């Protein structure tokens, strides 16, 4: 199969490496897109290195793709096989990179390490996900593969000049994986940060009208991969407890291996009329309306490190419910800028029912979330570029 390539020709490129890229959409993809956008706004020249996808999008920057195959257990994700691609290595060796930043330790990360060693370029690695959980799901039938791949992940981070984490509590997971080097906290941004400049409550009401929301019930939202690790089963069981006791409307946005099973569970619970599964929404305007039209964002996940979706919801005046003790809950002050609950349907259902009856309290927490959890990507990538300059200077 002939794989299409775009050939970077600029000098001193900022190499951004990641295993997922549009049309695959997740938090890390969004991070990469915003890094690229704001680097270009600042006059720099980025180049994305990512696995090939049969559905490609036009970009106004260079994208270097390499051979890949679909991951059957994690559709629509693909795994890159650079060893089966005779062209990618030479193209990387001939590309003039100024700095490398890999957002993934797998195939793209290994390519970044290759470039670092062959061109003597500094490499930054960001620890975004709880990779061990992903591997344990993907290799259920071959659990012996997990420690082997975890050692490769550790090798990747040990090869980096700097390792970044999106919030301080992620350090616990990184240390658990065996990394002993220095860590730098570099937060994620939010491209909804400046979307609402006027009255947020008026904007939320207008969003409800645009989406056709009606009634006085509480509007609840989940955005993310539809996988059991994210707690979507807990959400379904929570809704079952609320049914008949609290008026609500629940929207699920995203896709994943558990989507059809979730749909079946909601049907078994008789919740089709109160829940809707939208699949992936790529239009950011429409997605922002769903955030704004919602009163509460449910995210009972122990899987995530620093989920962008919680901050996106906060930007649109929608506070999140997170499980007590989760890594993601580090930024939440219970009852001030979000809510913490035990990761049980009973605990979350009781909280939702209480908030549905106390809208003034819900509004106060929503404003706390909006004031404390929202930071623009322009601001974040501005800090990133300053850090890049220091790394490049020290490396030279």
């Amino acid at each position: 199969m002939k794989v299409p390539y775009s050939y970077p020709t600029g000098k001193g490129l900022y190499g951004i490496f990641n295993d997922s890229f549009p049309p695959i959409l997740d938090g890390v993809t969004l991070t990469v897109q915003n890094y690229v956008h704001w680097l270009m706004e600042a006059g720099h020249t980025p180049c994305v290195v990512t696995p090939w996808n049969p559905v490609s999008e036009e970009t106004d920057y260079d994208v270097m793709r390499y051979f890949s195959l679909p991951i059957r257990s994690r559709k629509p994700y693909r795994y890159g096989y650079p060893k089966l691609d005779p062209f990618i290595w030479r193209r990387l060796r001939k590309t003039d990179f100024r700095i490398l930043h890999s957002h993934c330790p797998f195939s793209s990360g290994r390519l970044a390490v290759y470039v670092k060693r062959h061109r003597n370029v500094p490499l930054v690695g960001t620890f975004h996900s709880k990779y061990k959980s992903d591997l344990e799901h993907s290799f259920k039938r071959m659990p012996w593969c997990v420690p082997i791949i975890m050692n490769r992940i550790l090798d990747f981070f040990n090869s980096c000049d700097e390792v970044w984490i999106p919030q301080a509590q992620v350090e616990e997971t990184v240390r658990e994986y065996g990394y002993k080097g220095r860590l730098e906290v570099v937060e994620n941004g939010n491209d909804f940060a400046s979307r609402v400049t006027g009255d947020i409550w008026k904007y939320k009401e207008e969003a409800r009208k645009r989406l056709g929301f009606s009634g006085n019930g509480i509007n609840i939202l989940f955005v993310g991969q539809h996988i059991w690790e994210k707690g979507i089963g807990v959400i379904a069981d929570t809704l079952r407890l609320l049914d008949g006791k609290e008026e609500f409307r629940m929207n699920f946005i995203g896709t994943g291996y558990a989507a059809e099973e979730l749909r079946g569970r909601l049907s078994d619970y008789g919740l089709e009329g109160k829940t809707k599964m939208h699949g992936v929404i790529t239009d950011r305007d429409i997605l922002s309306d769903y955030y704004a039209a919602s009163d509460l964002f449910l995210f009972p996940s122990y899987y995530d490190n620093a989920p962008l979706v919680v901050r996106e919801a906060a930007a649109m005046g929608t506070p999140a419910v997170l499980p007590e003790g989760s890594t993601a809950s580090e930024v939440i002050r219970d009852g001030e800028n979000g809510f913490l609950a035990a990761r049980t349907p009973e605990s979350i259902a009781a909280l939702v029912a209480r908030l549905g009856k106390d809208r003034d309290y819900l509004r106060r927490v929503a404003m706390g979330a909006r004031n404390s959890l929202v930071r623009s990507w322009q601001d974040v990538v501005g800090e990133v570029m300053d850090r890049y300059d220091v790394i490049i200077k020290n490396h030279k």
Side-chain angles (χ1 to χ4, degrees), residues 218 220 231-246 248 250 252 262 265-266 269 271 274-275 296 298-300 321 341-353:
I218 190 166
I220 312 171
I232 57 173
V234 176
I235 294 177
D237 293 342
T238 297
L239 300 177
R240 185 185 191 185
L241 292 177
L242 287 171
D243 190 28
K245 300 176 183 177
E246 184 71 26
F248 67 88
M250 178 77 209
F252 291 90
L262 173 63
R265 184 180 295 192
L266 294 172
Y269 291 169
L271 296 173
K274 297 183 177 181
T275 62
L296 199 60
L298 293 191
F299 203 73
V321 177
R343 194 177 185 259
T344 65
E346 294 78 11
S347 178
I348 298 173
L351 174 61
V352 173

Side-chain angles (χ1 to χ4, degrees), residues 17 33-34 39 43-44 53 58 121 126 151 181 208 219 236 275 294 302-303 308 324 338 368 377 395:
F17 293 68
Q33 287 181 298
N34 278 282
L39 281 167
H44 299 300
N53 193 299
E58 292 276 340
V121 183
T126 295
N151 283 334
R208 292 188 185 100
N219 295 302
T275 62
S294 303
Y302 282 122
Y303 167 85
L308 291 178
E324 297 170 338
W377 273 114
H395 186 77

Side-chain angles (χ1 to χ4, degrees), residues 92-97 115-121:
L92 288 171
R93 286 196 304 271
K94 290 187 174 183
T95 301
D96 181 19
F97 289 105
V115 177
K116 167 187 165 64
R117 291 172 177 167
H118 279 78
R119 294 197 60 90
N120 190 28
V121 183

Side-chain angles (χ1 to χ4, degrees), residues 12-17 39 45 47 96-102 115 121-124 161 164 384-385 387-393 395:
L13 298 177
Y14 286 69
I16 308 296
F17 293 68
L39 281 167
T45 308
C47 171
D96 181 19
F97 289 105
R98 187 166 186 242
I99 190 169
L100 314 166
H101 189 162
S102 181
V115 177
V121 183
L123 169 61
V124 177
D161 294 270
W164 295 357
V384 165
M385 286 186 283
R387 289 173 179 263
Y388 283 167
D389 288 342
V390 172
I391 295 169
I392 292 167
K393 181 179 179 181
H395 186 77

Side-chain angles (χ1 to χ4, degrees), residues 64-335:
M64 189 184 295
R65 298 182 182 271
Y66 54 94
F67 182 80
S68 72
L69 292 172
I71 303 174
R72 294 183 62 186
S73 62
R74 291 299 299 273
K75 294 180 180 179
Y77 289 86
R78 301 179 68 86
Y79 195 83
Y81 292 91
K83 287 186 177 180
L84 300 180
D85 191 324
F87 306 104
I88 187 67
W89 308 95
R90 180 167 57 88
R91 305 202 193 292
L92 288 171
R93 286 196 304 271
K94 290 187 174 183
T95 301
D96 181 19
F97 289 105
R98 187 166 186 242
I99 190 169
L100 314 166
H101 189 162
S102 181
H103 294 264
C104 179
F106 298 115
S107 64
S108 58
R110 291 200 299 276
L111 285 174
V113 172
Y114 175 82
V115 177
K116 167 187 165 64
R117 291 172 177 167
H118 279 78
R119 294 197 60 90
N120 190 28
V121 183
L123 169 61
V124 177
T126 295
F127 189 99
H128 283 287
S129 303
K130 293 185 176 178
Y131 305 108
K132 190 174 183 181
S133 300
D134 291 336
L135 294 171
E136 287 171 344
H137 172 79
S138 297
F139 293 96
K140 283 182 179 179
R141 297 182 180 180
M142 297 182 291
W144 53 269
C145 288
V146 175
I148 296 173
I149 300 174
M150 288 302 298
N151 283 334
R152 292 181 180 175
I153 290 174
L154 187 58
D155 287 343
F156 163 76
F157 285 111
N158 283 329
S159 299
C160 295
D161 294 270
E162 280 197 9
V163 175
W164 295 357
I165 53 177
Q167 62 187 47
Q169 195 169 339
V170 178
E171 180 173 358
E172 294 181 14
T173 304
V174 183
R175 300 306 183 199
E176 176 191 329
Y177 288 3
Y179 180 73
K180 296 180 172 58
R182 186 167 60 91
L183 296 169
E184 297 285 346
V185 177
V186 179
E187 293 182 343
N188 289 325
N190 188 328
D191 62 350
F192 293 157
S194 59
R195 185 168 288 258
V196 183
T197 56
D199 184 346
I200 183 64
W201 308 114
K202 182 180 179 181
Y203 188 96
K204 289 173 75 68
E205 184 58 37
E206 290 171 347
R208 292 188 185 100
K209 291 178 181 177
R210 285 192 291 269
L211 295 176
F213 285 17
S214 59
N216 297 318
I218 190 166
N219 295 302
I220 312 171
L221 180 67
F222 170 85
V223 178
Q225 294 182 64
H226 288 20
I227 59 178
W228 299 124
E229 292 88 341
K230 296 269 190 178
I232 57 173
V234 176
I235 294 177
D237 293 342
T238 297
L239 300 177
R240 185 185 191 185
L241 292 177
L242 287 171
D243 190 28
K245 300 176 183 177
E246 184 71 26
E247 186 181 348
F248 67 88
R249 177 191 180 104
M250 178 77 209
N251 288 285
F252 291 90
I253 296 175
T255 189
Y257 70 78
E260 289 309 310
E261 290 181 75
L262 173 63
R263 192 187 304 277
R265 184 180 295 192
L266 294 172
S267 177
D268 291 343
Y269 291 169
L271 296 173
E272 300 101 318
K274 297 183 177 181
T275 62
K276 188 168 183 179
M277 296 178 65
H278 298 269
V280 175
I281 295 179
T282 58
D283 188 313
R284 299 293 286 173
D285 292 330
I286 296 175
L287 181 60
S288 70
D289 268 356
Y290 275 99
Y291 278 122
S294 303
D295 300 299
L296 199 60
F297 187 79
L298 293 191
F299 203 73
S301 171
Y302 282 122
Y303 167 85
D304 290 81
N305 284 328
L308 291 178
V309 288
V310 170
R311 295 178 185 269
E312 290 177 346
M316 307 313 292
T318 303
V321 177
L322 280 81
E324 297 170 338
S326 62
T327 305
S329 70
E330 178 191 7
V331 297
I332 300 299
R333 299 186 302 276
D334 187 30

